[in-house]
Amino acid sequence: MPSPGRARVGVALTFMTNGLMMNLLPRLPEIKQNFALGDGLYGIVVAAMGVGAITSGPLPARLIARFGALKVSLVGTLGAAVLLVVAGFAPNPIVFAAAFFFIGILDACIDSAQNTQGVAVEIWSGRTIINSLHGTWSIGAAIAGVIGSMCAGLQVPIGAQALGMSILIAVSAIACYRMGTIPEDVRAEQAKLRAHRDKGAPTKWRRLVPLIPLTIIGLAGVIPEDVANNWGAVYLVEEFSLPFSVAGLAMVTMLVAQIIGRFTADGLSDRFGPWNVATTGSVLVGLGAVLVVLAPLPFVVYLGFALSGFGCASLIPTAFAAAGRVPGVASGTGITLVSFAMRISFAASSPLIGGIAELGGLRPALSTAAVAGILAAIFCWRLRPRETPASADHSSR
């Protein structure tokens, strides 16, 4: 029997399954060495996923409108699982980059779909749940990071790891598909409420203006993840000569801190308001990035990633939740547009870091996360006066 609690579990498992797709990231230093890639070319290769997401354009919104968010998420996940195997057995960087490119297209669809469904379930529940939904993604990604690091330590072939994880991802996606269903009568009621709210919305392109600051805020949540996922292990190997299995835990450190932040952010958002929480988080992102860049010892790097992970925890969920409620813009469209704009910058992030690293080393290159944190703090602070904790449900979620 459909219920808000059951739907929440189903969507949460969908997020977690998407997080499991990150299992190859701890193996990136090995992949970099196996393909004999320099920092610049490596940055381009790992950016293929972001580039693929950009090319998806309005596709996620159209698919969601036609087939529904749950179906888009399921089919996209199954397709991405197959491509993960291709990446794991890639004989050269071109095949690897191509697999990541198409995973990026599918991931853009999955991301928009699961967030669209999550916002709908949140409205049905009548309480903030979007942060904890993203928290389950972080749990999935952390599990993937631990598995990837363990496999690196045990010297498990990258292709074998990818195959095993893909089977797990496919089975999980199918198992949780029906749990996230929202009854048609509930959807109809939500549509009526949205139509009533949209009556006072601005016309034409002006409806999209509120999405701009939301994109900047979301970027401050994406860039620390990109730094930890794609560069954290490389940084610890090249700057501190740590073994692959230990260096890969940089991603895990960030994700564990992010998990803690996301599972506490819902309660904090209901009490203090989401923009107050997001402002504080943005500041922590900046502080964490500074620690990573100036770290004299490896443990300080891990501490920096932990601060950044905790700080960025609420930024992407808050941005998506607000985008799904912009007056005059369909939920799937608002989330897709913010996700699309975020992914454009995300695709440029690794090549930019790689380019700076080629010129001046990894330390100054990783300072981009500090800049993102500062910009997000400014926008969150500007949005903060528009709401009070009591009105958070109407203004930001």
Side-chain angles (χ1 to χ4, degrees):
M1 183 70 180
S3 68
R6 178 184 171 87
R8 178 178 180 177
V9 171
V11 177
L13 289 175
T14 301
F15 273 82
M16 186 176 72
T17 301
N18 185 242
L20 293 174
M21 292 291 302
M22 309 289 281
N23 69 90
L24 284 186
L25 297 187
R27 311 297 297 267
L28 287 179
E30 291 175 72
I31 293 171
K32 182 175 184 288
Q33 286 193 2
N34 291 342
F35 293 145
L37 301 175
D39 286 339
L41 187 56
Y42 170 78
I44 294 174
V45 169
V46 296
M49 185 173 174
V51 174
I54 291 173
T55 62
S56 67
L59 179 64
R62 292 176 179 174
L63 291 176
I64 292 168
R66 181 171 181 179
F67 300 106
L70 280 179
K71 288 183 180 179
V72 172
S73 180
L74 174 62
V75 175
T77 301
L78 294 177
V82 173
L83 289 168
L84 184 65
V85 177
V86 175
F89 285 98
N92 56 61
I94 296 177
V95 175
F96 181 85
F100 262 40
F101 175 82
F102 289 107
I103 288 175
I105 294 176
L106 293 177
D107 188 63
C109 296
I110 297 166
D111 191 36
S112 294
Q114 66 187 13
N115 276 284
T116 299
Q117 192 72 6
V119 169
V121 173
E122 182 175 78
I123 294 172
W124 188 19
S125 300
R127 56 183 297 185
T128 305
I129 65 169
I130 193 67
N131 291 291
S132 60
L133 291 179
H134 281 257
T136 58
W137 180 91
S138 298
I139 289 176
I143 292 172
V146 170
I147 291 174
S149 295
M150 289 178 60
C151 288
L154 296 172
Q155 297 184 336
V156 175
I158 295 173
Q161 175 191 319
L163 177 60
M165 290 299 296
S166 294
I167 294 172
L168 175 62
I169 288 166
V171 172
S172 178
I174 295 170
C176 67
Y177 169 65
R178 292 189 177 276
M179 293 184 67
T181 302
I182 298 177
E184 288 300 323
D185 59 328
V186 175
R187 288 190 175 279
E189 183 62 26
Q190 289 185 0
K192 289 181 182 179
L193 292 174
R194 189 172 187 91
H196 177 73
R197 185 181 66 184
D198 289 350
K199 288 182 180 179
T203 58
K204 298 181 179 179
W205 62 269
R206 293 181 181 177
R207 299 180 180 182
L208 305 180
V209 172
L211 298 177
I212 297 174
L214 300 180
T215 300
I216 303 299
I217 293 165
L219 277 175
V222 168
I223 292 178
E225 291 183 4
D226 181 50
V227 169
N229 294 345
N230 292 336
W231 295 97
V234 173
Y235 179 58
L236 286 165
V237 168
E238 295 185 357
E239 294 289 327
F240 300 96
S241 301
L242 294 187
F244 293 140
S245 58
V246 177
L249 295 176
M251 167 190 166
V252 178
T253 300
M254 190 277 293
L255 287 171
V256 169
Q258 190 180 70
I259 290 168
I260 296 171
R262 284 179 169 172
F263 280 102
T264 57
D266 284 340
L268 292 173
S269 295
D270 284 337
R271 182 174 181 182
F272 300 108
W275 296 120
N276 290 321
V277 174
T279 300
T280 304
S282 300
V283 173
L284 290 178
V285 167
L287 290 176
V290 170
L291 280 181
V292 170
V293 172
L294 300 180
L297 297 170
F299 84 89
V300 181
V301 176
Y302 290 113
L303 177 60
F305 281 130
L307 277 179
S308 292
F310 188 83
C312 75
S314 68
L315 301 185
I316 296 175
T318 299
F320 279 148
R325 291 170 169 81
V326 173
V329 180
S331 181
T333 300
I335 290 172
T336 295
L337 288 174
V338 169
S339 177
F340 177 72
M342 285 168 51
R343 287 172 185 272
I344 290 178
S345 297
F346 178 72
S349 176
S350 278
L352 175 63
I353 292 174
I356 296 174
E358 290 280 7
L359 296 175
L362 271 176
R363 287 182 182 269
L366 298 185
S367 63
T368 52
V371 176
I374 293 170
L375 289 175
I378 293 172
F379 280 104
C380 288
W381 185 260
R382 288 179 64 85
L383 287 170
R384 174 180 166 272
R386 300 182 181 182
E387 63 165 308
T388 61
S391 64
D393 180 68
H394 300 287
S395 60
S396 70
R397 290 190 302 133

